[in-house]
Amino acid sequence: MGQRRRSGGLWQRWQPSHALVMFPLALIVVITIVDFLVPADVHLGPLLVVAPALTASFGGPRLTAFIGVLAIGAQAFIGIHFGVLTTRNVMVQIFSLAVLTSLIVFFCRVRERRRRELAKVRSVAEAAQKALLRPLPHRIGPLRIASLYLAAEDEAEIGGDLYTATGTDDGVRMIIGDVRGHGMSAVGESALLLGAFRVVADQHATLPALAVALDRSVSRYLADFVEAEDEIDEHFITALLLEIPSHGRMTRMTCCGHPPPLLLHEHRVRTLTSPHPAPPLGVAGLRAAQFPVDEFAFDAGDTLILYTDGVTEARDEGGVFYPFAQRVEQWTTSSPEALLDHIRRDLLAHCRGHLSDDAAIIAVQRNPAPRPGGATG
């Protein structure tokens, strides 16, 4: 039984490249046989170099070297068969094949080394993403939450979009934001705001007071780390602060230049546009009184969708923006997880899989209040 399991394991490891390695092996056999059959003045042996070159496209340096040795052996066998192994022409062909095989193996090793380095970089990026943009818990108090992050860059793991949530004595506070710009500077500003929010989210009685604290943190960061003073105005973070009470239906929102959330209520979609939004964080240095608070009813069974402008600014081939609110109307009865899955597939189909900007989406659903006796509806 143990031997059978070991055999099965070896077969499973070998199987993915088993079919591919047959091509260079078959190529060596075919070239050797055909060289025996064609007229003596036709020499196909030099074509054997294709075998190790082909192997390097899918195999590692060891497999490539093995196929190269077989190709050199086939070339020598052809020379022995025709009795011309020691002639200058055949020796030059064998030597050339050996040199080319060595070069192919060398570049294959370089590629493998770079691939391992890239794998390490990706693992570090994944760890940084988990530390910076931690997945939101599926449940906080009466809320059911799902989150989605889509990076615009093919190999990117993190970017300038951010979100997080934390429980307080009175309910849940959330933030979703979008750092202007891209690259490591955007990641640094995103990390700053997330860290500041996690520290002070429950230390301020109101959302405007919280917004002032976050605005000061961003402004200090920009003053310390943005080298050119004339570039400070070009750095800012749009943000939406949300306060959802554990008891009661009235939810509070402070919008700092961020796209308005969508409210799914009784199979209808409503855009919660703030009549007096504040500027983005890090721009104006406002006082608490200058950060307005908007209230709206968030009833049991309703769903809130928070998002960044990477969603609404996604374009199709004709340059048409993604009609987010209209598309969401199709899935008003879906759970948060299913809703984000629908949006992800539909959004990527709209822009043919290529986003022009990072996109973050959060779906928050308020659970119905438990019935007396612990029963739920």
Side-chain angles (χ1 to χ4, degrees), residues 164 166 192-204 210 214:
T164 192
T166 185
L192 166 85
L193 184 57
L194 284 174
F197 179 85
R198 288 165 181 159
V199 170
V200 303
D202 59 349
Q203 297 180 7
H204 298 276
L210 175 59
L214 297 176

Side-chain angles (χ1 to χ4, degrees), residues 118-135 148-163 183-184 187 190 194 358-360:
L118 179 59
K120 291 180 181 179
V121 171
R122 286 179 177 174
S123 66
V124 172
E126 290 174 0
Q129 183 186 35
K130 292 178 181 178
L132 173 61
L133 197 62
R134 301 171 186 169
L148 173 66
Y149 191 99
L150 297 173
E153 298 295 334
D154 293 336
E155 301 298 335
E157 295 287 345
I158 54 179
D161 288 3
L162 59 100
Y163 54 76
M184 292 308 299
V187 174
S190 175
L194 284 174
D358 296 342

Side-chain angles (χ1 to χ4, degrees), residues 124-348:
V124 172
E126 290 174 0
Q129 183 186 35
K130 292 178 181 178
L132 173 61
L133 197 62
R134 301 171 186 169
L136 294 177
H138 296 298
R139 293 185 183 274
I140 303 180
L143 306 179
R144 183 177 178 181
I145 305 174
S147 57
L148 173 66
Y149 191 99
L150 297 173
E153 298 295 334
D154 293 336
E155 301 298 335
E157 295 287 345
I158 54 179
D161 288 3
L162 59 100
Y163 54 76
T164 192
T166 185
T168 64
D169 294 337
D170 301 324
V172 177
R173 281 182 172 174
M174 308 183 70
I175 184 174
I176 185 169
D178 186 0
V179 178
R180 185 187 184 279
H182 303 279
M184 292 308 299
S185 62
V187 174
E189 293 169 29
S190 175
L192 166 85
L193 184 57
L194 284 174
F197 179 85
R198 288 165 181 159
V199 170
V200 303
D202 59 349
Q203 297 180 7
H204 298 276
T206 65
L207 286 184
L210 175 59
V212 169
L214 297 176
D215 182 63
R216 288 175 180 171
S217 296
V218 173
S219 298
R220 289 171 182 167
Y221 175 88
L222 296 179
D224 291 339
F225 291 97
V226 176
E227 297 180 358
E229 292 186 4
D230 57 347
E231 293 182 0
I232 293 180
D233 293 339
E234 300 297 325
H235 291 255
F236 55 82
I237 305 176
T238 68
L240 183 74
L241 302 175
L242 203 65
E243 184 177 75
I244 305 174
S246 298
H247 305 285
R249 59 198 294 262
M250 299 309 296
T251 294
R252 288 171 286 278
M253 173 183 72
T254 292
C255 180
C256 304
H258 198 77
L262 302 180
L263 176 65
L264 280 58
H265 174 72
E266 295 182 349
H267 310 295
R268 305 178 75 175
V269 178
R270 174 187 167 198
T271 302
L272 301 174
T273 304
S274 175
H276 304 291
L281 301 177
V283 172
L286 303 181
R287 300 185 303 274
Q290 296 172 290
F291 285 100
V293 176
D294 301 296
E295 293 189 337
F296 58 91
F298 185 34
D299 296 316
D302 289 355
T303 299
L304 268 174
I305 303 179
L306 317 179
Y307 57 95
T308 58
D309 58 10
V311 177
T312 52
E313 293 181 358
R315 300 172 183 252
D316 63 10
E317 290 183 325
V320 178
F321 289 113
Y322 181 63
F324 190 37
Q326 297 177 17
R327 297 295 180 90
V328 169
E329 289 179 350
Q330 308 172 66
W331 312 301
T332 55
T333 60
S334 301
S335 66
E337 296 80 7
L339 177 61
L340 292 194
D341 185 60
H342 289 308
I343 294 173
R344 179 186 61 81
R345 289 189 282 108
D346 191 57
L347 175 63
L348 293 177

Side-chain angles (χ1 to χ4, degrees), residues 45-46 48-49 52 68 71-72 75 92-102:
L48 289 168
V49 72
I72 294 172
Q75 178 68 70
V92 168
Q93 291 179 11
I94 293 176
F95 177 76
S96 301
L97 183 56
V99 171
L100 291 174
T101 298
S102 299

Side-chain angles (χ1 to χ4, degrees), residues 55-126:
T55 306
S57 65
F58 62 84
R62 292 184 179 181
L63 181 59
T64 302
F66 173 72
I67 295 297
V69 170
L70 291 181
I72 294 172
Q75 178 68 70
F77 181 70
I78 293 173
I80 294 173
H81 176 77
F82 289 105
V84 293
L85 177 62
T86 57
T87 62
R88 179 183 301 178
N89 187 36
V90 174
M91 293 301 294
V92 168
Q93 291 179 11
I94 293 176
F95 177 76
S96 301
L97 183 56
V99 171
L100 291 174
T101 298
S102 299
L103 288 175
I104 293 171
V105 172
F106 171 75
F107 286 112
C108 190
R109 291 190 63 181
V110 172
R111 183 197 63 193
E112 289 298 308
R113 186 182 301 113
R114 291 182 176 178
R115 181 180 297 174
R116 288 193 297 268
E117 291 175 354
L118 179 59
K120 291 180 181 179
V121 171
R122 286 179 177 174
S123 66
V124 172
E126 290 174 0

